[in-house]
Amino acid sequence: MINANRQVWALLGHATLTQLITFVLRPATTYRALELGVPASWLGVLSGSFALVPLVLALPAGHIVDRLGERRVMFAGSLLMCAAGTVLLALGHTVPGLVAGSVVLGTAHLGAIVGQQALVANSTTTSRMDSAFGYYTFAASLGQAAGPLMIVAFGGTQAIPDTTPIFQAGIVVAIALFALTFAIESTRTERGPATTENVGVRQLLRLPGLAGALLTACAVLAAVDISLVYLPALGAERGIASSLIGTLLVLRAASSMASRFFLGRLSEAIGRRRLLILSIFGAAAGITVAAAPVPVWLLLLAVTVAGFGLGVGQPLTMSWLAESAPPGARGRAMSLRLTGNRAGQVIIPGAIGMVAAGLGAAGVLWVTAAGLALTGVLARNLPVNRP
């Protein structure tokens, strides 16, 4: 029998530590590359090596989760987290070593989060799905916020910090993550009419609302990435102090965490589909105003509204997918979402950049807002899985 409270806290801790390690080791890898004299133009290759494996292995990983259970895949992901830190520490004095470490880290991250998301989907009742994914993504956001603080704590105050203690700290946290996996038990779901083992991508995409949820998740995540890149660019163009831009990014992240923490209550109060649509339009409006030449107080308000709206999209689409997919195929549904997100992170920012070429950072943000608004319109066609 699974101890429900232990399972929940172990899962949330696993999500937090997974993101913490990732958001420590990835920037530390970039710093080590700069220390080795790698040109800035080549840093994209290093970043891409992290995302390459998830694009290729996401769907097979989801199938393995459905066949073998969530814990085994999370166990493998946690073990690979330890391996990633070790590779970076032992071989990070060379560029091939950094690339190898990034590939292992990307594989580890994939295994951990696919297992985590499938565990949330398979261990939560329909009425609690929104709350569960809200708390899960809140825990992940907490780890993403804590990761950079470890760089400050262990890296010193130099422009390019000493990365060796950062890699060592990452290994220590990865060992804790590995140990935490033993507190997690896989769910025992009913496989349905003996056919879920053979459910493929085409069958999943035919499920009502699943393709729309994938598109929505992809557009929202791309908007998050674009805002992270182009808000600083907007500040540079308009002479806005970097401290204010940093405050804006913190506000965006904090408001996203707030929306995720209260997601279940919000969904119950106004309905899932209505909440999703309002959050997308709110994010679009916030980004539109933020890109305009407005007073500081309005800029702060606009970014807070945008962050709140962007924080809703990911957990809501997770719960939508979890309910749309058969119980024995939820790992594949979550991995399909991950594949779409990674592809969107590669394609959408570049496409928007080309469309808005010559318009500057504000133009890119306005086109992004228009894309979100269109996504909100399309989201009206999503089916209502529950009241």
Side-chain angles (χ1 to χ4, degrees):
M1 180 67 68
I2 297 175
N3 184 312
N5 288 332
R6 186 193 70 180
Q7 181 89 328
V8 168
W9 286 110
L11 173 61
L12 294 178
H14 206 278
T16 300
L17 292 184
T18 296
Q19 298 300 334
L20 188 152
I21 295 165
T22 303
F23 277 69
V24 165
L25 293 183
R26 289 196 72 190
T29 301
T30 300
Y31 280 128
R32 176 62 68 88
L34 293 173
E35 184 181 347
L36 295 176
V38 175
S41 58
W42 284 91
L43 293 179
V45 175
L46 186 61
S47 177
S49 64
F50 173 86
L52 179 62
V53 171
L55 272 175
V56 176
L57 295 184
L59 290 175
H63 190 76
I64 292 173
V65 168
D66 290 330
R67 292 192 61 186
L68 302 181
E70 305 92 351
R71 180 183 178 180
R72 292 186 182 183
V73 177
M74 293 169 66
F75 185 92
S78 303
L79 189 60
L80 285 173
M81 282 284 182
C82 299
T86 303
V87 169
L88 290 170
L89 183 63
L91 304 178
H93 58 281
T94 66
V95 174
L98 292 178
V99 172
S102 294
V103 170
V104 176
L105 182 61
T107 308
H109 185 260
L110 167 69
I113 65 173
V114 168
Q116 291 162 6
Q117 292 174 12
L119 184 59
V120 175
N122 288 326
S123 60
T124 306
T125 61
T126 299
S127 61
R128 296 286 299 166
M129 200 74 77
D130 292 342
S131 292
F133 276 108
Y135 290 137
Y136 167 74
T137 51
F138 175 86
S141 298
L142 187 62
Q144 293 171 6
L149 295 179
M150 284 189 62
I151 295 179
V152 176
F154 292 95
T157 58
Q158 303 93 336
I160 298 180
D162 182 4
T163 50
T164 297
I166 298 175
F167 290 147
Q168 292 171 339
I171 293 173
V172 171
V173 179
I175 293 172
L177 176 71
F178 177 73
L180 190 58
T181 311
F182 289 93
I184 291 173
E185 298 180 34
S186 292
T187 57
R188 291 179 176 84
T189 59
E190 305 230 347
R191 296 290 176 179
T195 58
T196 53
E197 285 288 338
N198 299 317
V199 172
V201 174
R202 291 184 180 179
Q203 290 91 332
L204 287 174
L205 290 175
R206 292 194 187 112
L207 294 173
L210 195 138
L214 289 174
L215 175 63
T216 302
C218 183
V220 170
L221 186 59
V224 172
D225 283 358
I226 290 170
S227 67
L228 289 175
V229 173
Y230 282 96
L231 276 176
L234 181 71
E237 288 180 3
R238 295 183 176 170
I240 300 174
S242 60
S243 58
L244 177 56
I245 295 298
T247 301
L248 292 175
L249 294 176
V250 170
L251 277 175
R252 187 207 62 78
S255 59
S256 290
M257 291 175 68
S259 68
R260 290 171 173 179
F261 189 81
F262 296 105
L263 184 65
R265 297 178 187 177
L266 291 171
S267 179
E268 290 176 2
I270 64 178
R272 177 188 290 170
R273 183 169 60 185
R274 184 177 300 172
L275 174 60
L276 181 63
I277 293 171
L278 288 175
S279 69
I280 292 174
F281 280 121
I287 292 174
T288 300
V289 173
V294 296
V296 171
W297 68 268
L298 186 53
L299 180 61
L300 293 170
L301 178 61
V303 170
T304 301
V305 171
F308 194 92
L310 292 173
V312 168
Q314 292 300 309
L316 270 192
T317 52
M318 285 181 191
S319 58
W320 222 303
L321 289 173
E323 290 186 16
S324 298
R330 285 171 174 165
R332 275 158 283 179
M334 293 301 165
S335 62
L336 182 62
R337 172 188 168 277
L338 179 62
T339 302
N341 283 355
R342 291 292 182 267
Q345 285 177 293
V346 173
I347 297 171
I348 294 178
I352 288 180
M354 291 180 62
V355 169
L359 299 179
V364 172
L365 291 171
W366 280 327
V367 173
T368 301
L372 278 175
L374 177 60
T375 302
V377 172
L378 296 176
R380 294 186 303 172
N381 297 321
L382 287 172
V384 179
N385 291 359
R386 62 172 178 82

